[in-house]
Each structure stands twice: as structure tokens, then as C-alpha cells.
Amino acid sequence: MNGTFDFGEAQNTALHYVSLAAAQVQRVPGSAIALRYIKSSYQNDPVRSAVELFLFLFAVRYLLAPTYSTLKSAHVPLTEDEIDELVEDWTPEPLVAAQTTFEEAENEKRPIIVGPTGPKSRLSTGRTVTNLATQNHYNFLSSAVLKDRAISTLRTYGVGPCGPPGFYGTQDVHMKLEADIASHLGTAACIIYAQSFSASSSVIPAFSKRGDIIVADRAVNYAIRKGLQISRSSVRWYNHNDMADLERVLATTVKEQARKPLTRRFIITEGISETCGDILDLPALVALKHRYKFRLIIDECLSYGVLGRTGRGITEHTNVDATNIDMIIGSLSGALCAGGGFCAGSEDIVEHQRLAAPSYTFSAALPAMLATAASETIRLLQEQPDLFVQLRENIKTMRAQLDPRSDWAMCTSAPENPIMLLVFKPEVVESRKLGVQDQEGLLQDVVDECLANNVLITRLKSLPEGPADAWQPQPAVKVCITTGLSKRETEKAGIIIRHAITKVMTRKKAQSA
Amino acid sequence: MYTEPPESLEHISDQAALPNLNSEWVNAKGAWLIHPILILLLKIALSTLPISQETSWTLTNLLYIAGSYLMFHYVRGVPFEFNSGAYDNLNMWEQIDNGDQYTPAKKFLLAVPICLFLVSTHYTHYDLTYFMVNFLATLAVVVPKLPALHRLRFAFFNPDPDDR
């Protein structure tokens, strides 16, 4: 047999198989009908039949295709030995990073207060110190009236509400407190949160979602930053309390969004800045808000109960109607010495938060004792306006001792802010080339030196941010003024702080010289 | 015409946080049966109108295709609020089975319009005008289902994107 391919033979075999297949098909019941139908569907139109056949074959191909995933999976097949090796080599990352030497030193020297906090607190070392580190601005912690009220509430209502506000946790004291705050501020309604930190971080994602635009001040505090992150909105930053820069950002945003479907737009800032201490220019902000049609969220955690003639906050201080601000977020755990936070706004805004705010729906409600304490302090603030006079006197006294009398430090807080932030003067930072870590170290030394002289102050502590955020607050020392100390005592404490700063700075100079 | 960019890691973890209730039902039991039932009901409803058989079959085809295009390829995102807008830029076809291609649900959903098209050509007695109308409609609903068009957007056929 020669190896050449015989076409005649192949053709005969092929025809033989085709006739076999045709015979098999004809044995299938109903095949005659199907074949007749297909023949009749030709209808003398070859193009159409071709199109239909193509579609049919395409469907068959699609139906027989295997499933595959479009998500990128870097699946590298490994042998058993390689897997064992990798498992042996692997060491888990620690859950908490190891402490730096600075943090360790700080932890060792941390003062522990034994007993109740007050203008004069007792430490675990046995010494009694002047406490200028708590936000006890009106000395409500030592108020006998409040203590009696709290104890009687504790005996009536017990300790906690045992449930979220939406699930049998709301008590009449909560509703009374909400009404009290709303009437005090001048808004339509108010909602209470059990923790002031989670108030800011719950209100923002309740209203702003992915695709919405938020224009935020660069210096906003950590709670607001977390709220912005959770909300997944696009955030645009503007320089701290710089109304011209804010206008630029608003104008750019409006121009960019001109052709696109309308999204929600918010401006978020603080009444009194936690990291810089200065007060917001509210009338200018409200004017901008009306012009560019944004909604305004003001975080009054440090300014409610502090600014204004009766403690209504920045709206009273700058004579702006509170209904101009869409959401006022405040804290009851600072100057009011109670606990929790609130958000005040119109009826719709407050009602929406009752279902949409995460920490209102999923956290337990505020204990009744703290709610009545807050109601009482709001009443006291309205009935005793000389509390404010006294506090501002003390602030002036302390300020007189520190700024501009100190050669090294200056106060960045506004004159009405009872939390004084002392930072190093720019010429000092320049001349000594102090980085952020150096300043933190020096300030910690200042705090320790003051504590050695029986004055307790603290540093501004801010949590670390990711690399994308370029803004860092300037390291500062925090001095919280209180009416619990007399003018003389405040003056004495101010002198001690000033001397401590001088001592630390000159000591450093002697060391480095 | 543009391709949807891949999502950031944060966005992907938002999508993976919860099962996508919007697109999971296509794998459920009655979800496949409802298509022929709907087509039948549509045909019965259209038969009550004083139009010819051919027109009513063509209209059934067109209405089914219009409805399924609107539902699977035009509307984007999820109608309820549970994952803070993680699927805002994907239409339903892309959400099914997390974007996997050639899954059983997708095969079935592609076969239905093709079968309906073949049935409608039979009932319109292979008339050319009806054929062209039906064919173009079927093409409009089959082409977006192809894997090549995954996450591809055309300006006219899709609504504007939500900017991120």
C-alpha cells in the first residue's frame, strides 16, 4: 500500500458516515416534523435563514461556554512543600504596634487621679494638684444641686436604659432633654446621642453618601474625619478658617458639577476648633452657604455651653439665627459635665437620624442620670449668666500671665475659648529647628515640670492620620480654665506654667550649647 | 464610549461586605420560570387588543426586550440602601454573580430573548419588515450581554455616570 492520500476512498467513507447519521436522525420520533419545518422555513430567503442559523449557533456556543470570573485573582498554584515552607516562615504582625520610647515614657509618668475630679484633684502619688486639664469650666462637678438631682434620678431610674433609643431605650428624661436643648438653641428639634465622639461620626454618614460632595476644614477633629471616611463621599479640603479659600473651593465645585446630576453638598467645620482653638467666622460662612447653595454642618462640641451670653454657642456669639445652620452637632460631656452628644436641626433632619444614624440605632441610649444632669446644667447656664463673666475673667487672668509675657510660647486660642492651646512661637521653632517630634518632647517636659509644681495640664493629643492627609496640628499644651479656682489661684498657676516653659526651654539651650 | 474604571480596594471591600441582594435573586428557583410566564401573560394581554397575530407577537417581543433592557442594562446601582452605594456604577447585568461571565443565570437570560425571537419570526410568517424589527430589537438586548461589553458604556445607550 502506498502512503499517498486517496481522495476517492475518503469521499466514499465520508458519504457512508453521513448516510448512517441521517438514518439515525430519522429514527428519532418527531424528526420528520422538525426537518419539514426547517425546510419550509427557508421560504426562498437565503439571507434571513443564514441570519437565523447564525443566531442559533451563537446561542449554542454561548450556552456551552465555561464560566470564568472577571475579577483579578492572582492565583499562583503552589506545591505542598512550597506551602509548608511559606507557613513556617510566616510570623504574624502584632495586633498593636510596639510602643515607641516616647509613648512608654509618657505612659510611665501618666498621672492617675484618685477620687472625684475637681479643681483640686488628688493623685495616686498622694499629692493634691490644681487640675487644669479637665473641661470642668463652670465647676459643675462640685455642684451640690447637680449631685442631688443626679442621685435622685439614679434612685428612680436605675443606672442604664438597657437598649438602643429606638428599642425601648427612650425615657421621658431623654425627650425632656431633647426639648430643652432645642428650645435653648432655637432650633426646631434635637436628637440625643449616648457618646459625643460618635455623634459627629454618625451624623455625617446619615446624610452624605458615596457620590455626594463635602467641603471640610483642614483642621477638623478626628471624629469628623472618621465620619467623612465612613460616608464614602468625595471630600474637598479648604484651609483652616480661611473664607477666601473656602469660596475658591465652593466655586470650583459648583463649576465642576454644573452639567452633572445634582448631588448633596455639605460644608463641615467646627465652631471652636479643637486643634487650633480659634473661633469660626460664622456670618461669612452663612453668607457663602446661601450664595453657593450648600448645606452647613457645624460641630459645636467645644463651643456649646461656652460661647454666647447664655451658652447657646457660636450662633449666639455671632448673632446668627440657628435655623440658618442645617445641623448643629454638640457635646454634653464637656462644659456641661454630663455625658453624650446631640444634633439639633429641623424636624425632618432629626427624624431622619432616628433610623439612619448608626450610633443612635445600634448603641444603648444615654443613662437617665446623665440626661437629667444635662437638663439641669442647661437650666443653670440660663439662670446664672455671671458664670460666663467669671469664666472669662479667669481666662483673661491666665492669658495675661502667658501671652505675651512668655518669651517662648503663645496662645493660639481665641479670647473666649476656655481651653487655651499654647504653642511655641514661630521664631522659636525656626531658630531651634524644632520638628514635630522635638516639640512634642519639649511640651511633655513642660507638662512634667508643671506637675512637679502641683499644676496638672495636658498636651493636645491627636491620632495619627494616613499618608494621604497632609495636615498635622501644631503640637500644643492644653490648659483648661475653670471657675472652680479663684483669680489668685489661676494667676499662681499661670505663673507656674510660664516658669516651667522658660525652665524647659533654657535647660534645653544649655544642653545643646 | 468609555470603560468603567476598576474600583479601589476600599470600594471592592464595600461590595464584598454583604451579599448583593439586588442580583442574587436571579439564581433563585422561580426567577427562571417567571420569564416564560411573563411572556405568556404579555401575549395574552396583547391578544385582547384588535391587532393582527403578527403584530401582537412582535409587540410581545418588543415589550419584553424593552423591559429586560431597562431592568438589566440601563438602570444602575441598587434600589435599596444597604452598602453605601458600592454598586452605584454597575448595572444589574454586571452585578449578577459578581461579574462572572457565562454563569447559568446569564446563559438562561441570554437564551430567552433568542428563543422569543425565533418564535416571533415563526408567527410573523417570515415577513421582512417584521423580521427586521424583531431582529434589531433582539440584537439590542443580546449585544450588551456579551462579555466584551462588560463595564463598557456608550453615551447614548446609558445614563450619565455618577462621579466618584
Side-chain angles (χ1 to χ4, degrees), chain B:
Chain B
M1 178 183 109
Y2 68 95
T3 316
E4 285 279 346
E7 286 104 357
S8 63
L9 189 61
E10 216 179 47
H11 204 149
I12 294 175
S13 67
D14 279 344
Q15 288 179 348
L18 294 164
N20 188 354
L21 298 171
N22 183 38
S23 66
E24 280 210 331
W25 61 269
V26 294
N27 288 319
K29 285 199 194 106
W32 287 21
L33 197 56
I34 197 69
H35 286 273
I37 291 178
L38 267 179
I39 293 168
L40 214 58
L41 286 175
L42 208 53
K43 178 68 186 70
I44 293 171
L46 284 171
S47 304
T48 59
L49 298 175
I51 49 179
S52 64
Q53 271 279 49
E54 295 91 12
T55 328
S56 74
W57 270 112
T58 313
L59 276 179
T60 313
N61 196 14
L62 288 179
L63 284 177
Y64 174 76
I65 283 172
S68 66
Y69 184 83
L70 185 71
M71 177 166 184
F72 286 104
H73 302 284
Y74 192 79
V75 173
R76 286 196 247 171
V78 164
F80 20 84
E81 163 77 52
F82 70 91
N83 57 4
S84 50
Y87 288 107
D88 270 352
N89 281 327
L90 294 180
N91 60 35
M92 175 129 171
W93 187 255
E94 288 153 0
Q95 288 176 34
I96 292 177
D97 295 322
N98 276 324
D100 293 347
Q101 302 298 328
Y102 300 122
T103 62
K106 289 192 175 177
K107 287 179 185 172
F108 177 77
L109 288 172
L110 188 117
V112 171
I114 293 181
C115 286
L116 186 56
F117 165 70
L118 293 171
V119 166
S120 70
T121 54
H122 166 84
Y123 276 106
T124 58
H125 308 296
Y126 311 103
D127 179 53
L128 186 63
T129 2
Y130 283 121
F131 176 81
M132 287 314 294
V133 166
N134 283 327
F135 183 64
L136 288 174
T138 313
L139 220 59
V141 88
V142 161
V143 163
K145 294 183 159 70
L146 298 176
L149 267 78
H150 184 66
R151 298 173 82 115
L152 206 59
R153 305 262 179 263
F154 293 91
F156 178 68
F157 296 107
N158 295 105
D160 285 327
D162 300 325
D163 220 2
R164 250 167 291 154

Side-chain angles (χ1 to χ4, degrees), chain A residues 74-324:
Chain A
H75 179 63
V76 179
L78 295 170
T79 64
E80 283 294 320
D81 288 338
E82 285 172 345
I83 294 175
D84 286 339
E85 220 181 282
L86 285 172
V87 166
E88 267 181 48
D89 286 339
W90 179 71
T91 48
E93 254 179 59
L95 272 177
V96 178
Q99 287 184 336
T100 62
T101 35
F102 181 64
E103 283 174 351
E104 271 185 46
E106 208 187 347
N107 269 336
E108 272 185 39
K109 291 182 271 180
R110 200 181 293 278
I112 302 173
I113 296 178
V114 173
T117 323
K120 298 266 184 211
S121 304
R122 192 144 181 276
L123 296 184
S124 60
T125 53
R127 282 189 293 152
T128 306
V129 296
T130 310
N131 192 343
L132 291 175
T134 57
Q135 290 177 257
N136 184 16
H137 301 306
Y138 306 107
N139 201 14
F140 284 135
L141 286 177
S142 319
S143 159
V145 169
L146 273 179
K147 210 179 282 195
D148 287 337
R149 195 82 174 81
I151 291 174
S152 71
T153 314
L154 183 60
R155 293 204 194 284
T156 327
Y157 286 85
V159 181
C162 296
F167 198 56
Y168 301 108
T170 303
Q171 296 163 321
D172 55 347
V173 286
H174 298 126
M175 299 175 68
K176 179 174 181 300
L177 178 58
E178 287 175 357
D180 284 341
I181 297 177
S183 65
H184 186 218
L185 269 177
T187 57
C190 171
I191 180 175
I192 300 291
Y193 289 91
Q195 193 193 10
S196 66
F197 183 95
S198 58
S200 315
S201 59
S202 298
V203 168
I204 299 168
F207 292 100
S208 187
K209 317 281 182 197
R210 194 187 299 269
D212 295 335
I213 297 169
I214 298 186
V215 176
D217 185 322
R218 263 187 222 281
V220 283
N221 59 39
Y222 190 64
I224 297 178
R225 279 177 204 274
K226 281 296 146 194
L228 295 176
Q229 191 183 4
I230 295 171
S231 72
R232 306 273 188 257
S233 323
S234 8
V235 184
R236 319 230 168 144
W237 303 97
Y238 71 93
N239 293 332
H240 175 60
N241 276 351
D242 185 352
M243 292 298 127
D245 196 39
L246 172 60
E247 180 154 14
R248 178 190 62 82
V249 174
L250 292 176
T252 332
T253 307
V254 166
K255 208 168 88 169
E256 277 173 14
Q257 300 292 320
R259 298 275 169 82
K260 301 187 188 157
L262 189 63
T263 59
R264 287 170 278 241
R265 302 174 191 178
F266 296 92
I267 302 175
I268 295 186
T269 182
E270 291 169 285
I272 287 183
S273 168
E274 184 184 325
T275 46
C276 301
D278 48 347
I279 294 181
L280 171 70
D281 183 2
L282 191 57
L285 186 59
V286 169
L288 280 177
K289 161 208 143 118
H290 282 309
R291 193 151 114 222
Y292 290 94
K293 312 245 187 316
F294 274 60
R295 289 203 164 89
L296 191 51
I297 303 180
I298 305 254
D299 184 340
E300 289 217 55
C301 283
L302 293 180
S303 57
Y304 181 68
V306 164
L307 292 181
R309 202 179 41 84
T310 53
R312 288 194 174 94
I314 195 165
T315 45
E316 193 177 23
H317 179 76
T318 49
N319 237 332
V320 170
D321 192 3
T323 49
N324 280 321

Side-chain angles (χ1 to χ4, degrees), chain A residues 386-412:
Chain A
D386 47 293
L387 279 174
F388 298 93
V389 176
Q390 213 181 335
L391 181 64
R392 288 182 192 143
E393 284 287 323
N394 279 4
I395 300 174
K396 253 193 276 202
T397 320
M398 177 66 83
R399 243 194 132 88
Q401 295 299 324
L402 293 171
D403 190 342
R405 271 175 88 165
S406 174
D407 296 325
W408 311 97
M410 64 180 211
C411 180
T412 54

Side-chain angles (χ1 to χ4, degrees), chain A residues 413-455:
Chain A
S413 301
E416 294 88 358
N417 185 2
I419 300 179
M420 295 176 62
L421 292 173
L422 304 169
V423 301
F424 288 121
K425 291 186 176 172
E427 47 271 21
V428 172
V429 176
E430 272 290 313
S431 67
R432 295 229 190 153
K433 306 223 183 331
L434 296 171
V436 168
Q437 299 283 27
D438 306 320
Q439 289 182 50
E440 302 257 3
L442 286 172
L443 291 171
Q444 187 59 35
D445 290 339
V446 169
V447 171
D448 296 335
E449 183 61 36
C450 288
L451 190 57
N453 288 317
N454 292 337
V455 169

